[in-house]
Amino acid sequence: MKQKQTLRAAAILVGASLALTGCTSMGGAASEPKGAQSAKDMVMVTVVKAQTIPWFQRMAVGVKSFADRTGIDARQEGADDVSPEKQVQIVQDLIAQKPTAITVVPNSPEALGTVLKQARDQGIIVVSHEASGIKNVDIDIEAFDNASYGSEIMDNLAKCMGGKGEYVQFVGGLTAKTHMEWVGAAFDNQTKNFPGMTRVETPIESTDDQGTAYERAKEVLAKYPNIAGFEGSAGNDVPGIARAVQEAGLQDKVCVMGTSIPSVANQYLADGSIDKIFFWDPALAGEAQLAIAQILADGGTIKEGTDLGVKGYNSLKKLDGFDNVFVGAASVAADAKTAAKYDF
């Protein structure tokens, strides 16, 4: 039986629990700097997983805000679905245009490796997001430490489930690196600290499509009549799962948590079909990527403590084990009451 708890009345910031290793500049073979350019001469393009996803429609707001604030010609591009091949083609087409920088949120970091090398070989600055460990980028910026984020979601799911029962995890795709890191950290936390809980399947793919998540959730509910919890990773997972739970009338018996944004989740938070969401503002993440690109284009470096001038990214930390991966402290957790305070 679901153990409903009174969730905290304010969104919490999740700090990255990292081992600090002193000031470090970007690592690896960086792109050659473009040389002194005025903002009006710079062109920066953010390539997202898909333009049709609300999460990335919100990111476009941040891209526009950055352009308006800096005078840099910044825009966002993306395909109509999360096909890695389509994303590779978009980057390939951009290389011929020779922008100052390409920032990218990969569908598959592995699939993008070759084309990103081509971009850097042409002197194009490359910044990534949601892709720690990706090859052939100057800097990867994360909103937070992924392991801490995934572990926190499990802490909350376990509390909702009373520390016992069956659960499943959804990811946008098995090649979505951050999604796999979140569910991996959550699973490790569960096996270590919540032995009364059981993950009944390996992570289920939704292709970051709300309709697919809904159908897969219905299959889970039919296959596992005692299922007590769902964890979603892609922005469309949690609302798709919630719809299936709501239709089955199980919102008081099944816990649903994971990554989403308030505007998508609010209707389900209202009746308990979703219990809690975890997110960071995609608009601010978009600005953070571009702010890094601007620093690099101006001949600067990214190091421990760098302030990007973007909320949640005011004192970057280097992710332990990487030379060019930095994290902010931009994570938020919200229930129905606190999610309503956000306008996206």
Side-chain angles (χ1 to χ4, degrees):
M1 179 65 69
K2 180 177 181 178
Q3 305 297 311
K4 287 286 186 180
Q5 302 288 340
T6 301
L7 299 175
R8 284 171 287 180
I12 62 172
L13 294 177
V14 181
S17 55
L18 302 170
L20 302 185
T21 56
C23 291
T24 305
S25 61
M26 63 181 182
S31 305
E32 289 298 321
K34 287 278 185 177
Q37 296 183 78
S38 65
K40 66 181 179 60
D41 294 325
M42 294 184 189
V43 177
M44 299 183 181
V45 185
T46 297
V47 181
V48 298
K49 293 183 177 182
Q51 294 278 53
T52 53
I53 297 172
W55 185 274
F56 295 109
Q57 292 167 357
R58 172 64 180 176
M59 185 169 284
V61 173
V63 172
K64 183 179 186 303
S65 176
F66 175 86
D68 291 343
R69 174 166 53 83
T70 64
I72 291 173
D73 179 1
R75 67 181 190 272
Q76 180 170 297
E77 295 191 11
D80 55 359
D81 60 38
V82 295
S83 162
E85 293 77 15
K86 290 182 180 179
Q87 194 174 47
V88 167
Q89 187 60 57
I90 289 171
V91 175
Q92 186 73 65
D93 292 344
L94 286 173
I95 292 173
Q97 301 173 32
K98 296 185 178 179
T100 308
I102 295 172
T103 73
V104 62
V105 188
N107 287 311
S108 169
E110 293 76 17
L112 280 172
T114 298
V115 73
L116 293 182
K117 182 179 186 302
Q118 293 171 7
R120 296 182 79 212
D121 286 347
Q122 293 296 314
I124 298 169
I125 293 165
V126 178
V127 178
S128 61
H129 176 57
E130 294 190 52
S132 57
I134 187 174
K135 305 298 182 183
N136 300 316
V137 302
D138 292 288
I139 296 291
D140 177 75
I141 180 66
E142 301 297 320
F144 41 73
D145 172 53
N146 286 321
S148 295
Y149 182 79
S151 185
E152 190 204 10
I153 293 175
M154 179 51 65
D155 284 341
N156 282 268
L157 185 64
K159 184 177 181 180
C160 184
M161 291 173 58
K164 61 184 178 181
E166 299 175 340
Y167 75 97
V168 292
Q169 298 173 308
F170 279 43
V171 294
L174 298 178
T175 61
K177 183 174 176 60
T178 52
H179 295 184
M180 295 302 291
E181 289 178 349
W182 299 340
V183 298
F187 181 63
D188 289 344
N189 184 7
Q190 179 265 301
T191 55
K192 180 180 180 181
N193 297 308
F194 307 105
M197 295 172 62
T198 303
R199 187 178 74 174
V200 293
E201 291 193 10
T202 55
I204 299 167
E205 289 186 281
S206 69
T207 67
D208 203 346
D209 178 79
Q210 193 171 141
T212 302
Y214 164 70
E215 293 295 339
R216 299 278 163 81
K218 287 202 301 182
E219 292 169 5
V220 168
L221 291 171
K223 186 175 180 180
Y224 303 101
N226 295 319
I227 199 76
F230 286 84
E231 175 190 347
S233 302
N236 281 312
D237 288 351
V238 176
I241 294 165
R243 179 183 163 199
V245 168
Q246 185 184 67
E247 287 183 358
L250 296 173
Q251 53 265 50
D252 292 328
K253 295 184 178 180
V254 177
C255 295
V256 178
M257 295 186 182
T259 304
S260 188
I261 54 176
S263 61
V264 175
N266 277 338
Q267 63 174 312
Y268 298 111
L269 282 164
D271 75 347
S273 300
I274 296 174
D275 295 278
K276 203 168 190 178
I277 58 172
F278 302 79
F279 59 97
W280 63 106
D281 188 341
L284 297 178
E287 288 200 59
Q289 295 170 71
L290 291 164
I292 288 173
Q294 183 180 17
I295 290 171
L296 299 183
D298 287 338
T301 59
I302 304 301
K303 58 189 178 182
E304 194 81 49
T306 292
D307 183 354
L308 299 180
V310 178
K311 184 178 179 181
Y313 302 87
N314 301 112
S315 182
L316 300 185
K317 292 181 172 61
K318 189 174 77 71
L319 186 60
D320 194 33
F322 298 93
D323 290 331
N324 67 340
V325 181
F326 291 83
V327 301
S331 174
V332 176
D335 60 10
K337 183 176 180 181
T338 53
K341 297 178 180 180
Y342 295 87
D343 61 356
F344 64 89

